[in-house]
């Protein structure tokens, strides 16, 4: 299901704004404003992915079992590096009026046979993730330890997947 790639990134997103709407659907692209509301270069990592890199998708949605939560649900391949564009997605939600936007087209999106709830993943693999954090102190990592528990880093849309985290996700899937 997950193969060897030069680099792997993780997307955290929600279904609430339809991932941008028509032409910006989940599984077709990654996108975010090029600057945060304060004008800071908070999303600089969007400039790093290049063609052939892998993306693992964590999606917050209402699933077929009726539960709304974040799950590890699929993977894709970066089709080409980012473009900075003025066009605003038709359903940009909280990021409305924040042009320009970074957009990365992705291809070959595959839904995993079983979408793994993030809570279960962190429950079973939290200690392994914490060890990865302690040993490698990675930059742009999707998780941190807060109040003695591994949690997602709030506000991170795109993050880096270390080789160790990649192994953990593979084991979990």
């Amino acid at each position: 299901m997950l193969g060897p790639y030069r680099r792997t990134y993780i997307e955290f997103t929600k279904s609430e704004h339809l991932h941008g709407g028509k032409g910006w659907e989940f599984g077709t692209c990654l996108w975010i404003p090029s600057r945060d509301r304060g004008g800071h270069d908070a999303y600089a990592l969007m400039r790093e992915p290049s063609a052939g890199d892998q993306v693992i998708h964590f999606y917050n949605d209402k699933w077929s079992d009726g539960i709304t939560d974040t799950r590890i649900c699929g993977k894709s391949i970066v089709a080409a590096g980012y473009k900075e564009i003025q066009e605003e997605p038709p359903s940009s939600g909280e990021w409305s009026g924040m042009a320009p936007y970074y957009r990365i087209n992705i291809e070959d999106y595959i839904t995993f046979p079983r979408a793994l709830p993030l809570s279960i993943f962190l429950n079973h693999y939290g200690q392994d993730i914490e060890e990865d954090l302690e040993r490698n102190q990675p930059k742009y990592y999707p998780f941190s330890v807060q109040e003695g528990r591994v949690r997602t880093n709030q506000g991170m849309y795109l993050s880096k997947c270390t080789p160790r985290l990649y192994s953990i996700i593979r084991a979990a899937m």
Side-chain angles (χ1 to χ4, degrees):
M1 189 168 16
L2 292 171
Y5 293 89
R6 182 173 50 113
R7 292 185 298 194
T8 299
Y9 295 88
I10 294 176
E11 175 195 32
F12 276 93
T13 195
K14 301 175 183 179
S15 64
E16 65 189 31
H17 60 80
L18 306 174
H19 197 273
K22 186 170 175 58
W24 299 73
E25 294 90 349
F26 178 73
T28 65
C29 66
L30 308 175
W31 70 272
I32 198 162
S34 62
R35 302 274 184 212
D36 67 12
R37 291 216 181 269
H40 302 103
D41 191 16
Y43 310 115
L45 184 60
M46 285 287 286
R47 295 190 298 265
E48 288 189 21
S50 58
D53 290 344
Q54 179 175 237
V55 179
I56 299 172
H57 302 273
F58 287 58
Y59 197 47
N60 184 279
D61 197 8
K62 183 172 185 176
W63 299 91
S64 60
D65 59 9
I67 297 172
T68 299
D69 65 358
T70 300
R71 298 186 181 181
I72 306 170
C73 65
K75 71 170 191 151
S76 64
I77 304 300
V78 173
Y82 83 100
K83 290 183 180 179
E84 190 169 11
I85 60 174
Q86 293 296 321
E87 175 190 356
E88 180 168 304
S91 180
S92 50
E94 66 186 272
W95 293 329
S96 180
M98 293 183 63
Y101 296 91
Y102 290 140
R103 180 182 168 121
I104 299 172
N105 289 332
I106 55 177
E107 59 191 8
D108 301 332
Y109 177 81
I110 296 170
T111 301
F112 293 151
R114 173 180 69 101
L116 178 64
L118 178 60
S119 58
I120 292 172
F121 175 68
L122 293 178
N123 222 12
H124 287 121
Y125 297 96
Q127 183 63 42
D128 296 320
I129 293 168
E130 191 170 346
E131 288 172 11
D132 189 27
L133 273 163
E134 289 172 9
R135 279 193 191 131
N136 300 311
Q137 300 178 355
K139 189 174 180 183
Y140 299 115
Y141 199 70
F143 304 105
S144 62
V145 178
Q146 300 169 12
E147 300 175 4
R149 297 185 63 200
V150 175
R151 301 178 188 269
T152 58
N153 278 326
Q154 295 300 314
M156 289 198 80
Y157 168 64
L158 189 68
S159 55
K160 287 185 177 180
C161 185
T162 64
R164 178 66 184 129
L165 180 56
Y166 185 72
S167 295
I168 295 167
I169 293 170
R170 283 186 69 158
M173 299 310 291

